[in-house]
Amino acid sequence: MTSSDAKTVITCAVTGNLTTREQTPHLPVTPAEIAQSCLEAAEAGAAIVHIHVRDPITGRPSMELDHYREVVERIRERNTDLVINLTTGPGGRFMPGEADPRVAGPGTTLTTPERRVAHVAALKPDICTLDLNTMTFGREVVINTPASIRRMAAIIREAGVRPEIELFDTGDTALLHDLIAEGTIDLPITCSLVLGVKYGFPATPEMLLNGRSLLPAGSFWTAFGVGRHAFAMVAQSYLAGGHVRIGIEDAVYLDKGVLAPSNAALVEKARKVVEILGGRIATSSDARRLLGLTDAAAP
């Protein structure tokens, strides 16, 4: 259980790669909407914002550097302390073609490791995600080979950015230990246990504790659930000594049948859950100290 003097960091995952406007009209899509949603989430108690970008016209996932740059600049104009975490997840999906499975079919986004981290090298955020999963994900397969991960990790390190390792199953944790042993990933690590994605970690207290037990000692870790498991995992992660994550990437409902009107509303509820259980919420400055990050205004 979390110690009485510890503070809990809330990460808000504001947009994601899969949530659509058909699921919720409150999904931020344009760079201006995404940045505003990040700022509102910070005011509600989020110390870190996890950011994907979308095509402003179609709403589909995007990897465009200019969209990332606009989001980051809009946030920094108004909040220099908020910890910015950019995704590197897009670009890893493959859908085998029906006629020839060696040929990419619809839904494929698979691209080079360098393309997937180009925005990180250019913008140098505080944190970026580094996914270790290769798994069935919806209709497609997500592919993160050890060789690709090594290439991405090298660019992330060169940019001076702290990677947040995303772990979806026990095999990912085994790969993590190999990457640490060979020097690809440095200790201490920042990581997230992703629970509730089909064919990955189930969103149960037992699996959360099992995942926690597989992490390197001294890890800064968060566990979070997707869909209907989101708020249950907020509570379970806090009680197990971890930090928490919530946002429209992970869940669109605030209560059963009630769409969340904003990311800020989801953060406010997560904050209440932690505080009711006896926790204290970390500020962005607290999170920077916990993560060993420099001040955002520093050169």
Side-chain angles (χ1 to χ4, degrees):
M1 185 176 293
T2 305
S3 64
S4 59
D5 61 345
K7 289 187 177 181
T8 300
V9 173
I10 299 177
T11 295
C12 183
V14 297
T15 303
N17 201 38
L18 298 177
T19 308
T20 67
R21 278 271 171 92
E22 287 71 32
Q23 292 172 304
T24 173
H26 308 298
L27 175 73
V29 168
T30 69
E33 291 170 345
I34 293 168
Q36 180 63 27
S37 196
C38 289
L39 292 164
E40 292 172 357
E43 291 177 3
I48 302 173
V49 285
H50 174 59
I51 300 169
H52 292 242
V53 293
R54 301 294 184 104
D55 182 293
I57 305 300
T58 67
R60 294 180 61 81
S62 172
M63 298 175 68
E64 288 298 318
L65 172 59
D66 286 347
H67 298 334
Y68 281 109
R69 179 179 284 113
E70 183 177 348
V71 172
V72 171
E73 288 178 351
R74 284 177 177 272
I75 292 171
R76 287 292 177 241
E77 285 173 1
R78 293 171 51 189
N79 188 328
T80 60
D81 205 31
L82 181 61
V83 179
I84 292 178
N85 176 345
L86 300 184
T87 185
T88 66
R93 289 175 180 267
F94 182 78
M95 179 67 180
E98 289 189 12
D100 185 347
R102 295 173 300 177
V103 177
T108 295
T109 64
L110 195 63
T111 188
T112 64
E114 291 76 14
R115 174 72 180 90
R116 292 177 63 184
V117 295
H119 59 297
V120 172
L123 299 177
K124 297 179 173 55
D126 301 297
I127 303 172
C128 70
T129 56
L130 182 61
D131 300 352
L132 300 194
N133 62 318
T134 294
M135 64 184 293
T136 300
F137 208 115
R139 295 178 62 248
E140 298 90 34
V141 175
V142 171
I143 300 176
N144 290 296
T145 66
S148 292
I149 292 166
R150 291 185 188 105
R151 287 161 63 183
M152 293 171 70
I155 295 169
I156 293 167
R157 177 185 281 164
E158 178 66 22
V161 176
R162 187 178 183 109
E164 179 203 325
I165 311 303
E166 292 211 345
L167 305 164
F168 291 74
D169 208 347
T170 53
D172 301 348
T173 60
L175 176 56
L176 171 61
H177 284 278
D178 285 349
L179 293 170
I180 291 169
E182 70 186 30
T184 296
I185 294 173
D186 299 321
L187 291 173
I189 67 163
T190 300
C191 58
S192 290
L193 300 170
V194 186
L195 301 111
V197 174
K198 197 171 185 179
Y199 310 125
F201 282 128
T204 64
E206 294 82 3
M207 189 55 67
L208 189 156
L209 294 174
N210 181 48
R212 182 191 67 175
S213 74
L214 299 174
L215 299 177
S219 299
F220 178 99
W221 66 275
T222 299
F224 66 93
V226 300
R228 63 188 177 89
H229 307 291
F231 283 107
M233 289 300 107
V234 166
Q236 293 292 339
S237 186
Y238 166 73
L239 291 171
H243 301 280
V244 304
R245 176 175 132 167
I246 198 69
I248 290 177
E249 174 174 353
D250 304 329
V252 300
Y253 289 101
L254 189 64
D255 288 299
K256 188 173 182 179
V258 179
L259 286 173
S262 64
N263 276 291
L266 291 166
V267 171
E268 288 169 0
K269 182 172 179 178
R271 178 174 189 156
K272 288 179 182 176
V273 170
V274 171
E275 289 176 340
I276 287 169
L277 293 171
R280 294 187 298 153
I281 302 302
T283 65
S284 291
S285 294
D286 293 330
R288 287 183 178 279
R289 287 192 292 272
L290 288 167
L291 289 163
L293 298 173
T294 59
D295 181 77

